[in-house]
Amino acid sequence: MLSARTLIDFYVDGFRSMKLGRTLWKIILLKLLVFLTVLNLFFPDYLNSHFSTDQQRADHVLHQLTHLPSGK
Amino acid sequence: MLEHLDISQLSWARGQFALTAMYHWIFVPLTLGLSFLLAFFETLYVRTGNEQWKTITKFWMKLFGINFAIGVATGIIMEFEFGTNWSNYSWMVGDIFGAPLAAEGLFAFFLETTFFAVMFFGWNRVSKGFHLLSTWLVAIGSNLSALWILVANGWMQHPVGMVFNPDKARFEMENFWDVLLSPVAVSHFVHTTSSAFLLAALFVVTVCSWYLLKGRHVVMAKKSLAVAATFGLIASAFVGFTGDESAYTAAQVQPMKLAAMEGLWDGEVNADLVAVGIVNPGKKPGDNMDPFQLDIKLPYLLSLLANREFNSFVPGVNDLVYGNAEHGVVGAGEKIAQGKQAIAFLAAYKQAKDAGNTEAAQLALQQFDQVKEHIGYGYLTKAEDIVPPVPLVFYSFHVMVALGTLFPLVFAAVLFFLYKGTLQQQKWFLRAGVLSVFFGYMASQAGWIVAEVGRQPWAIQGLLPVGVARTQLTTTTVQMTFFMFLIIFTTLLIAEVRIMTRQIQNGPEGE
């Protein structure tokens, strides 16, 4: 049976023995940081940030569908 | 009606989605295809015990890891864009996409935390058999992960297995299996994944051609090429068969897309397939301009492609816009009138329900149900609005098909020269081979342009045009994030190319 210690060691040793992997992890973490910052600042969920209940969101979309004269 | 619409904001939002999707698609196909090549290389190592195969597996695994690390999470951006730029659409499809996207997330999470770790950290620490199993599971799991995304995309092209709930303004899933096994979803999945296999095989051709030209890592290059070219040849056959199926399903459920792909303006019985053509860019629906400045056609083949019958009728752009009573094609004008009725009944239902008039609400709902099939058309201003940009779709389709025809010849030539033992002497071929992955990407991206631009103006085919799917935001907001992502993605691409080329120059370790 695989013990938790063995499993942790597997990952710890794996990360320690990385060479190129260290650079890649730095890129991944930097990317996630930039993405999350940009996404949180500039990409709010429009319906979640403007309405508090699902019914309000549904009513808003239904209003758009029945009143917005949009086209192509 | 179009005077109320901020076209520039819509165009920027569409451009932003196209930008993120196309950059995302630089990384994804290489991951999907290379994962299977790794599994093949490692299987050869385990079966033969030849350490060279292990070296080969570890070398390509390193390149796979670079591509995966740079590409991971680039897809998240699109999910955020749904909520910000496409909030109406996002709300309406939430019930349909919830299950496939949750499944995709779970697959990705379990794969990345378990089998990826074994694949990269497990050499000499787990048994050969378990390591091989992990590599295969990464390959299968990555491709299954793509299945859910492509099922969601297939549903947008051909919405089935759902019902519209007028109280929640949502499409709700009625039959999961109809959504999963929709002919469009199935053909999209097989066509897209097999094209990814092909692209990964071309990537190996590029790298190995360079090694052979330089006279470095010759044994590794030849062994890698033998496997990749065989895989690429088989994948090419799949791409061809599934491409034919994709065109057939387009003819059945998205005939305008097929008409744009072929530049067919006036429908024909015994329709010819355009092999090569230069379209007249100024051509508009209903005018008398010749569709082509130059064309070479293959007789009857479009009818065969579209309907599996030589003497069948294939509707053109004009038939779909203005209708063709002789062949039973309903024009967009008629659908627009029906769509406007559907919108009016939906509004009447909402008004009656809000007023507490149950009887009037029920009546409006019954009337809505009778005409709701074409509700999306009700948002269009004129029949001509259903026409996508024909030149872009036509050229993208023909570039994709031309390159898709060339690639199996490249793989066959690689195998032939390897068999003859003369590959390293074919300098001209190897120089061309170095460029092969770039042509692979060109074909792959062209395929997405055909699929996505070809279905315009629809976010959901026939039900929701992009103009209604979007959020009412200012143009500046979308422009700003467009350029922000352009910079971020370009930086990532430069990082990928630099790290990848450095590793390729270093070559395999311990050879």
Side-chain angles (χ1 to χ4, degrees):
Chain A
M1 187 73 182
L2 198 65
S3 72
R5 186 70 243 170
T6 315
L7 200 61
I8 292 166
D9 284 348
F10 178 82
Y11 279 90
V12 170
D13 291 348
F15 280 112
R16 273 193 187 143
S17 63
M18 286 191 309
K19 289 180 233 164
L20 173 67
R22 283 173 201 252
T23 311
L24 295 177
W25 269 107
K26 280 178 199 160
I27 291 175
I28 291 173
L29 294 174
L30 181 67
K31 180 172 58 173
L32 284 176
L33 182 73
V34 172
F35 278 5
L36 291 177
T37 312
V38 170
L39 293 171
N40 281 325
L41 282 176
F42 297 99
F43 283 86
D45 187 300
Y46 180 83
L47 293 177
N48 282 345
S49 58
H50 284 74
F51 305 98
S52 49
T53 67
D54 273 356
Q55 192 52 54
Q56 286 174 344
R57 291 177 195 117
D59 286 343
H60 167 78
V61 174
L62 204 53
H63 181 83
Q64 297 268 302
L65 291 179
T66 52
H67 292 84
L68 180 77
S70 298
K72 200 172 177 181
Chain B
M1 280 183 169
L2 275 173
E3 66 272 17
H4 297 278
L5 183 66
D6 180 359
I7 296 285
S8 59
Q9 186 260 324
L10 177 61
S11 300
W12 279 102
R14 285 178 59 196
Q16 186 181 74
F17 198 84
L19 173 86
T20 44
M22 289 176 88
Y23 262 106
H24 182 55
W25 194 248
I26 290 173
F27 307 110
V28 174
L30 204 51
T31 297
L32 299 183
L34 267 185
S35 64
F36 269 109
L37 277 167
L38 296 180
F40 296 146
F41 292 139
E42 193 174 341
T43 302
L44 285 165
Y45 163 59
V46 172
R47 292 200 65 161
T48 63
N50 183 341
E51 287 291 318
Q52 278 183 331
W53 285 116
K54 185 178 179 184
T55 307
I56 289 170
T57 310
K58 289 179 90 168
F59 170 69
W60 292 107
M61 197 173 277
K62 194 172 272 185
L63 300 189
F64 169 86
I66 295 167
N67 181 64
F68 182 84
I70 306 279
V72 72
T74 51
I76 291 175
I77 291 171
M78 286 185 281
E79 291 182 32
F80 275 82
E81 279 177 38
F82 283 142
T84 306
N85 294 344
W86 307 98
S87 60
N88 290 345
Y89 161 85
S90 183
W91 174 261
M92 292 175 79
V93 302
D95 189 70
I96 306 282
F97 287 8
L101 293 182
E104 193 272 336
L106 277 175
F107 260 117
F109 178 76
F110 282 113
L111 267 179
E112 285 154 28
T113 51
T114 51
F115 299 111
F116 262 76
V118 175
M119 203 170 86
F120 283 102
F121 299 158
W123 291 108
N124 306 323
R125 302 192 66 193
V126 298
S127 72
K128 277 185 185 179
F130 185 63
H131 194 279
L132 178 63
L133 177 70
S134 300
T135 308
W136 272 103
L137 286 175
V138 166
I140 294 166
S142 303
N143 281 270
L144 276 181
S145 183
L147 169 72
W148 302 111
I149 304 292
L150 292 165
V151 163
N153 182 272
W155 184 85
M156 288 154 67
Q157 315 265 352
H158 181 45
V160 289
M162 57 80 193
V163 64
F164 180 71
N165 181 334
D167 294 313
K168 293 183 180 170
R170 284 193 124 160
F171 296 106
E172 293 177 344
M173 196 182 295
E174 244 188 353
N175 189 326
F176 171 77
W177 297 107
D178 281 355
V179 175
L180 180 66
L181 301 175
S182 139
V184 176
V186 171
S187 66
H188 259 219
F189 171 65
V190 187
H191 190 59
T192 309
T193 46
S194 50
S195 75
F197 301 161
L198 198 157
L199 187 132
L202 289 170
F203 175 70
V204 175
V205 171
T206 290
V207 175
C208 294
S209 295
W210 187 76
Y211 280 147
L212 291 179
L213 275 172
K214 296 281 176 191
R216 294 174 55 193
H217 315 300
V218 172
V219 176
M220 187 216 75
K222 285 182 179 173
K223 281 180 178 289
S224 300
L225 275 174
V227 175
T230 307
F231 185 48
L233 201 57
I234 295 166
S236 299
F238 266 96
V239 169
F241 285 125
T242 54
D244 173 72
E245 185 62 23
S246 289
Y248 174 74
T249 52
Q252 308 310 308
V253 302
Q254 294 175 301
M256 179 58 83
K257 183 193 276 185
L258 185 74
M261 283 155 63
E262 272 300 301
L264 182 70
W265 288 82
D266 294 305
E268 293 170 13
V269 177
N270 299 328
D272 302 336
L273 188 79
V274 179
V276 180
I278 299 173
V279 296
N280 258 325
K283 174 131 184 84
K284 297 272 183 282
D287 68 16
N288 292 321
M289 191 185 282
D290 197 326
F292 292 98
Q293 293 172 8
L294 171 84
D295 60 351
I296 299 169
K297 292 181 173 176
L298 304 172
Y300 307 144
L301 284 187
L302 182 57
S303 283
L304 182 69
L305 185 80
N307 302 312
R308 310 282 196 241
E309 280 180 48
F310 281 114
N311 59 352
S312 61
F313 176 75
V314 182
V317 171
N318 287 327
D319 304 287
L320 297 161
V321 171
Y322 303 114
N324 183 330
E326 188 191 342
H327 291 284
V329 180
V330 178
E334 201 175 312
K335 291 180 183 174
I336 286 173
Q338 213 177 76
K340 289 191 187 307
Q341 279 187 322
I343 294 166
F345 290 136
L346 186 61
Y349 169 73
K350 173 75 176 150
Q351 200 175 14
K353 198 157 176 282
D354 287 347
N357 188 341
T358 315
E359 203 176 317
Q362 280 308 311
L363 179 65
L365 193 56
Q366 282 170 10
Q367 290 169 317
F368 171 74
D369 283 339
Q370 284 167 9
V371 289
K372 67 183 177 186
E373 188 190 354
H374 298 306
I375 187 170
Y377 285 84
Y379 300 105
L380 303 179
T381 309
K382 53 189 188 302
E384 290 82 357
D385 286 347
I386 67 163
V387 185
V390 174
L392 179 59
V393 179
F394 175 86
Y395 287 125
S396 300
F397 176 64
H398 283 78
V399 163
M400 177 186 72
V401 172
L403 290 171
T405 311
L406 181 69
F407 295 145
L409 300 177
V410 171
F411 295 127
V414 167
L415 292 174
F416 174 76
F417 290 134
L418 276 175
Y419 177 72
K420 287 281 181 188
T422 59
L423 184 58
Q424 220 177 335
Q425 285 81 58
Q426 312 298 328
K427 301 293 181 194
W428 61 272
F429 181 76
L430 294 174
R431 282 189 201 104
V434 171
L435 298 174
S436 56
V437 75
F438 304 106
F439 289 111
Y441 271 118
M442 197 187 287
S444 192
Q445 298 281 357
W448 276 112
I449 293 172
V450 173
E452 299 306 300
V453 179
R455 72 179 159 105
Q456 294 305 317
W458 303 113
I460 304 170
Q461 183 74 32
L463 298 175
L464 188 71
V466 286
V468 187
R470 70 189 179 129
T471 312
Q472 304 286 322
L473 295 172
T474 63
T475 308
T476 317
T477 312
V478 190
Q479 275 173 333
M480 196 165 60
T481 48
F482 177 93
F483 287 110
M484 204 178 291
F485 281 133
L486 183 63
I487 293 165
I488 293 173
F489 276 121
T490 307
T491 309
L492 285 176
L493 186 61
I494 292 168
E496 160 120 344
V497 172
R498 286 184 65 133
I499 299 172
M500 194 82 96
T501 47
R502 197 183 308 142
Q503 285 306 312
I504 291 167
Q505 277 170 352
N506 290 345
E509 287 169 10
E511 194 190 46

